[in-house]
Amino acid sequence: MKKFIFLVIIFVSLSSLFSQTITVISPNGGETWAGCSSKTITWTHSGTSGFFNVEYSSNNGATWASLANNYSGTSIAWTVPNISSSQALVRVYDFANNLIIDQSNATFTITPSLIITQPNGGEVWQVATGTKTITWNGFGTSNSFLLEYSVNGGSSWSTITSATFTPTSNSYSYNWTIPNNPSNFCLLRITDNGSPACKTDVSNNVFQIAAPTPVINVITPNGGNTLYVNQSNNVTWSSAYLSGSFVKIEYSINNGSTWNTIINSTNNVGSYVWSNIPNTPSNSCLIKVSDAGNLSTYDVSDAVFNIALGSLNATYPNGGESVNGCQNYNILWSRTGTSNYFNLDYTLDNGITWSSLATNYYQTATNCSFAWTVPNVSSNQARVRVTDFNNGVILDSSDAVFTINPALVVTSPNGAETWQGGVSKLITWTQGLGASNYWTIQYSTNSGNTWTTIVNNTYITTGQYTWNPVANVPSTDCLIRIYDYQNSACRTDISNNLFTITPATPVITVSNPNGGNLFYVGTSYNITWSSQYLTSSFVKLEYSTDNGSNWISIASSTNNDGTEAWVTPNTPSANCLVRVSEFGNPTCFDQSNA
């Protein structure tokens, strides 16, 4: 009896089970649905709870992804994922009894609306190899895309670009300059800006951004150049991705058999001034620039260059010319392979002695010049000389002597003359071209240590001036100096040698009474006189009543101030005279003329 009841229960249970069914209607196999499109999954059921779980598979059921749980209804709207699969299935089962289930009778196809074709995994793209082409296909997209990359397997993303693209048969491309961000875990992600929630694709597998190859490229000197001893030249190069910020620079004079250090470490700025190129002439020279932190990274000049000695050629004045003192002339020279700095000298004695015109004078042209104001000298043995300041063995001078005509020459007094003070003398000079004719004339009595002006800025065209009177400054160390007031820096001359000024003759001149006067006894009158060049400050005054046969003292010594009050004595006479003489020097005197 118990067995019968159990069998009845089993039969009833199986009958109930067989009457509970789910049947997937769509998609049921063979369809092709586009990724990111809106589709409806439908099914029928009988005897179920009315609540369902809905799932899909892209690999013929190997794995399933949920679309809905405990869903009530017989259809559900599905935004098809942006994937590529020909093995897609959909299944529906009773939420309350997962034994009641159905799935698509056969696989259907999902075609992606956006799919990356490159890089899609496994590629190795190296930094600094130009651009690489990113490619993708799009169907029903907006043509506006966001391109991103990740170097950490998708944990974070960096933007490459966001732009509108023009497709070719639904295919798109973008030339990407690979960033210097090496990694073995790179991914690319592309998103349709018009439908970012769905139309997105990521590389199927990681690809590699490889570290760049360090590069150095010597630019100059790179072959065929000529560099000159003691000159400065720029060594230039380009570089990328070196180990540090410094480079080492070397040169070879034997085509690379051996190398000499220019500098062990200098900033990698692409240029270095190689100053004072060594005195090692050679036509087999090379430059090498190396990564200071990794000497195996370097570059060498593509071909040999030359190190040579430079040359100079003085071209003017070069011999036979006649130039004028205090006039401006250009000293001319050409140069090859010298530095840009020069010394200039001139000689008046055919090279026995030299005088400097300029030191370390800067010129960059091939044909150089220097403005020379010719000195106020006379010479028929003049030359000029040009020397490389940085290499004194490179020089040239005038091929032959030339003449300098002086602009101003003092001719008198020019040495050894004896001029007496207080007399009139003629100062003379000759002058060359360019004089202003406004002259300053001075004299010195102490060999030129100090000067006293005779005339200043005075217009004279004759080349002579009467010095009247010659200063009463006795000396054997006298000189005359004359200069053009408007060009005193050059147009100046001094007596060639010392001359002498002797003392002036002392002079006294009585002015009152000087003859014909009538003086009255007992009356005060002024005796007046003038004097020059006396050695004493006192004079002696006398009078005579017998026309000079005898003299009577008025004052044996009185100040030589030119006047003395005299009360006439009671000695009436028509033959009176007054005499004034230098105190202590009776030979210097004067008396009334009558």
Side-chain angles (χ1 to χ4, degrees), residues 156-168:
S156 60
W157 296 89
S158 300
T159 297
I160 298 172
T161 187
S162 181
T164 299
F165 297 82
T166 300
T168 301

Side-chain angles (χ1 to χ4, degrees), residues 6-20:
F6 177 70
L7 290 173
V8 171
I9 292 171
I10 293 174
F11 175 77
V12 171
S13 299
L14 289 174
S15 297
S16 175
L17 181 60
F18 290 142
S19 64
Q20 294 175 314

Side-chain angles (χ1 to χ4, degrees), residues 134-145:
I134 297 171
T135 59
W136 69 98
N137 295 327
F139 303 92
T141 57
S142 69
N143 293 336
S144 176
F145 299 96

